[in-house]
Amino acid sequence: MLGASGDLTARLLLPGLGGLLAAVPDQELLLLGSGMDDWDEARWRKRVEDSFSSVSATGPQVTATVAGTRYLQADVTEAEDLRRLIGACRGQIVIFFALPPAVTARACQALTGIELPAGTRLVLEKPFGTDTAGAERLNQLLATLVPEEQIHRIDHFLGKSTVLNILGLRFANRLFEPMLNAEHVAGVDIVFDESLALEGRAGYYDSAGALIDMVQSHLLQVLALLTMDAPPTIDAREVRDRKAQVLRATRLWDEDARTCTRRARYTAGEIAGRRLPAYADEAGVDPGRGTETLAEVVLAVDTWRWAGVPFRLRSGKAMSATRKEAVITFKQPARVPDGLTGYDRPDRLRIGFGPDRLAVDLNINGPGDPFVIDPVTLDADFGPGELPAYGEVLRGVLDDDPLLSVRGDTAEHCWRIVAPVLSAWRDGTVPLLEYPAGSAGPEGSLLPPD
Ligand SMILES: O=P(O)(O)OC[C@H]1O[C@@H](O)[C@H](O)[C@@H](O)[C@@H]1O
């Protein structure tokens, strides 16, 4: 694990790994942590132990991994150090780059001089590159190291249980799949509004912003699963081919970014009794950079199935209410018979990403007057998946199955889709709006009211 002393390792990777080891007890591994910091083994072991405990991971494999883990101080951009690390591994090697994109690229460059043992897997965190050209360069470099199937570009949303459930919902029900096309769907909203704010992550977030942090990565993966054609099997190649196909056809709704994108950042405010400073005043933020904490983008998927249907993607931090869902809004019925009153909302299919939820908004003749329409919601709350999202994607890595990883061409498509937005935002064509922390975002929205 390169970048062992970093924040990402403690916050996501180790808890994900702990959850996996607890749920899959025959998963034996030697965990080697490596970083620039002069840590001793005890300090690293404590970090592993604390992270495992934070998700209540217990069991023989958890105990054995904590006991056997080692820490090696290294500069992972130096071939000599990497050779030493690889020499300390045994069995199948998985190299996890929990590093900023620029350092990852340098570490990969350093790996080119080393013969990697057959089957070595490389695991890269998001963001994969920093723009289309950077992602292409990184892909070319990685291709010189190991075959594509052994490269796991992590997007932990692909391990979320309701995201995975999109496959079952779409392809194991006669009820929905024939309806999911431009003939019947008026629009699709993919929303991830959080009440969490910066939470001390300026080092990473201030150079990413909401568009790269959430839309370019997670929300486009959700869009791909919602729009792709049915694969014949749930095999990595089949599924990833179909995701790439729709993402290749995805573009900004309008050439003018002013009409189909919005960006904003939060000012000081309060969320559930917690006072928050303005984003621009948060420690480590460069206010002149104009990083957005809320992004809205309308996209088109130019395929026969989806032509003309707007896909509205939005993510905001420090929002008053958490809203994490994909909502498919169907067109109105061809005609509601005269005399049947009260119809005022179309049918909707809602897929919640936290809490996990599946709901259908319908119109029925409810209680009372039988000729007045009443809205109802059929709600299926289901328990969390067997593993937390990160654990699920790590299981794929350790099982050598890239199904839940982002393929190289797909990573490039995702950058290409947001490229016109990034350039319009960077040159100031689209104004940076403001909203108080703890509000519902800036006035107006490209999304319809919920
Ligand atoms: O809800 P989850 O699984 O924590 O995912 C949301 C998080 O996903 C991360 O990838 C983003 O960097 C965070 O900004 C975001 O909060």
Side-chain angles (χ1 to χ4, degrees):
M1 198 166 276
L2 315 184
S5 46
D7 159 74
L8 181 71
T9 302
R11 224 169 26 85
L12 287 173
L13 305 189
L14 290 175
L17 184 63
L20 175 62
L21 292 173
V24 187
D26 55 355
Q27 193 82 66
E28 214 178 295
L29 64 91
L30 165 63
L31 177 63
L32 286 185
S34 176
M36 290 285 258
D37 293 292
D38 181 16
W39 281 18
D40 60 14
E41 215 113 271
R43 181 159 179 196
W44 164 246
R45 182 164 296 114
K46 174 91 172 60
R47 171 171 261 210
V48 175
E49 202 168 13
D50 289 349
S51 299
F52 286 2
S53 311
S54 72
V55 288
S56 310
T58 54
Q61 240 9 281
V62 172
T63 313
T65 303
V66 173
T69 192
R70 294 180 56 199
Y71 181 82
L72 298 173
Q73 189 185 8
D75 177 350
V76 298
T77 61
E78 291 294 334
E80 239 353 275
D81 281 18
L82 286 169
R83 209 170 269 122
R84 184 163 51 86
L85 287 177
I86 290 165
C89 296
R90 54 168 200 256
Q92 281 287 310
I93 298 181
V94 176
I95 304 179
F96 208 117
F97 299 84
L99 301 166
V103 188
T104 296
R106 284 168 53 210
C108 290
Q109 187 63 51
L111 277 178
T112 53
I114 301 172
E115 197 168 330
L116 295 172
T120 298
R121 277 154 255 167
L122 306 180
V123 190
L124 291 98
E125 258 303 323
K126 76 158 192 129
F128 181 79
T130 48
D131 56 16
T132 315
E136 281 168 6
R137 274 197 305 276
L138 191 50
N139 275 335
Q140 282 158 11
L141 183 57
L142 291 169
T144 65
L145 300 175
V146 299
E148 172 62 37
E149 295 66 40
Q150 288 162 227
I151 303 168
H152 295 258
R153 297 171 194 78
I154 297 287
D155 189 308
H156 79 281
F157 268 47
L158 292 174
K160 281 187 183 279
S161 66
T162 20
V163 175
L164 287 167
N165 262 323
I166 292 174
L167 295 174
L169 174 74
R170 289 194 55 202
F171 304 127
N173 292 292
R174 188 73 195 211
L175 196 57
F176 298 117
E177 188 45 27
M179 302 291 292
L180 294 181
N181 53 53
E183 173 82 13
H184 301 291
V185 172
V188 177
D189 302 314
I190 305 176
V191 185
F192 203 88
D193 284 349
E194 307 176 85
S195 52
L196 285 179
L198 185 59
E199 319 298 335
R201 297 170 68 212
Y204 151 72
Y205 193 88
D206 202 39
S207 59
L211 186 71
I212 292 176
D213 184 46
M214 292 300 301
V215 176
Q216 187 273 343
S217 47
H218 306 317
L219 301 194
L220 282 179
Q221 292 300 316
V222 173
L223 177 141
L225 288 171
L226 282 174
T227 54
M228 71 180 192
D229 281 338
T233 68
I234 298 300
D235 168 80
R237 174 162 178 200
E238 299 293 357
V239 173
R240 299 198 312 165
D241 274 354
R242 277 152 192 79
K243 282 172 59 190
Q245 211 168 33
V246 280
L247 288 170
R248 218 166 29 234
T250 301
R251 57 165 179 83
L252 209 52
W253 182 257
D254 193 306
E255 275 179 18
D256 185 352
R258 282 172 303 186
T259 59
C260 56
T261 74
R262 290 202 331 152
R263 60 178 181 140
R265 74 177 167 189
Y266 64 82
T267 53
E270 191 174 309
I271 303 179
R274 186 163 75 112
R275 285 291 313 160
L276 281 176
Y279 176 80
D281 295 333
E282 294 261 23
V285 164
D286 171 4
R289 195 176 209 152
T291 300
E292 79 288 351
T293 58
L294 178 142
E296 281 181 12
V297 173
V298 186
L299 300 174
V301 179
D302 274 337
T303 60
W304 182 287
R305 184 196 273 267
W306 292 111
V309 177
F311 287 81
R312 296 163 294 234
L313 277 51
R314 158 179 164 134
S315 185
K317 287 213 180 274
M319 306 291 279
S320 52
T322 297
R323 183 178 171 209
K324 302 174 179 177
E325 59 176 357
V327 181
I328 296 163
T329 302
F330 292 96
K331 289 185 173 167
Q332 302 201 350
R335 185 167 183 277
V336 179
D338 293 344
L340 210 48
T341 59
Y343 173 92
D344 70 354
R345 65 158 205 199
D347 298 342
R348 289 197 192 115
L349 174 60
R350 294 173 182 275
I351 300 164
F353 308 125
D356 289 343
R357 177 187 180 214
L358 184 64
V360 189
D361 293 340
L362 293 173
N363 293 299
I364 58 160
N365 290 358
D369 187 328
F371 303 110
V372 174
I373 298 293
D374 288 303
V376 289
T377 297
L378 304 182
D379 211 327
D381 256 320
F382 39 92
E386 183 190 11
L387 288 174
Y390 235 95
E392 198 61 67
V393 292
L394 287 181
R395 166 151 57 183
V397 172
L398 297 180
D399 287 353
D400 208 4
D401 179 358
L403 173 66
L404 302 185
S405 301
V406 177
R407 203 167 66 186
D409 55 345
T410 297
E412 291 174 20
H413 294 323
C414 292
W415 279 114
R416 184 198 38 78
I417 293 165
V418 300
V421 188
L422 283 171
S423 83
W425 289 9
R426 279 179 190 150
D427 70 19
T429 310
V430 178
L432 178 64
L433 307 174
E434 293 192 326
Y435 60 100
S439 70
E443 275 289 289
S445 174
L446 299 170
L447 277 72
D450 185 38

